[in-house]
Amino acid sequence: MTKSELIAELSTIYPHLLARDIERIVHTIFDEISAALTRGDRVELRGFGAFIPRRRDARTGRNPRTGDTVSVEEKSVPFFKVGKELRERVNQSATKSATAE
């Protein structure tokens, strides 16, 4: 699901809200999650999961095209750890679709 599909789905579920207001809400939530990760904070959404910034050490890598050795700097990357409730719901729906086939 893309961000625009999410906004369209929420507009359908909540017809009393204006689409531009829903769009502003969705953008604000994503912007705040991004800002928190940029600051190095953990963002936890109960029942869904947690976004955690992880640090990757500097290392020596290889250019796949030429095979030359390349220095890769230390960096921070976002990591998502799925919550128990979401994991169970996904596994439950996967089990149901597998038995239906």
Side-chain angles (χ1 to χ4, degrees):
M1 176 178 280
T2 64
K3 192 187 300 186
S4 59
E5 291 170 340
L6 174 63
I7 293 167
E9 183 72 23
L10 290 172
S11 295
T12 305
I13 295 171
Y14 302 103
H16 60 283
L17 295 174
L18 297 175
R20 69 174 182 258
D21 292 338
I22 293 172
E23 184 175 357
R24 188 176 307 136
I25 291 167
V26 169
H27 284 289
T28 301
I29 290 170
F30 289 151
D31 289 344
E32 287 303 313
I33 290 172
S34 298
L37 290 172
T38 302
R39 290 190 306 267
D41 296 339
R42 171 188 166 112
V43 178
E44 184 175 339
L45 304 170
R46 297 284 177 169
F48 184 73
F51 296 94
I52 307 161
R54 286 213 173 151
R55 189 177 65 84
R56 290 198 181 160
D57 293 330
R59 62 185 173 82
T60 302
R62 291 204 174 270
N63 181 333
R65 184 173 289 171
T66 63
D68 293 339
T69 302
V70 179
S71 176
V72 179
E73 295 179 5
E74 177 183 286
K75 59 184 167 183
S76 193
V77 294
F79 175 77
F80 178 73
K81 183 176 180 184
V82 69
K84 180 181 176 184
E85 185 179 325
L86 177 61
R87 183 179 60 245
E88 289 173 352
R89 288 178 70 178
V90 169
N91 285 333
Q92 186 179 34
S93 68
T95 303
K96 285 181 183 178
S97 65
T99 57
E101 293 175 358

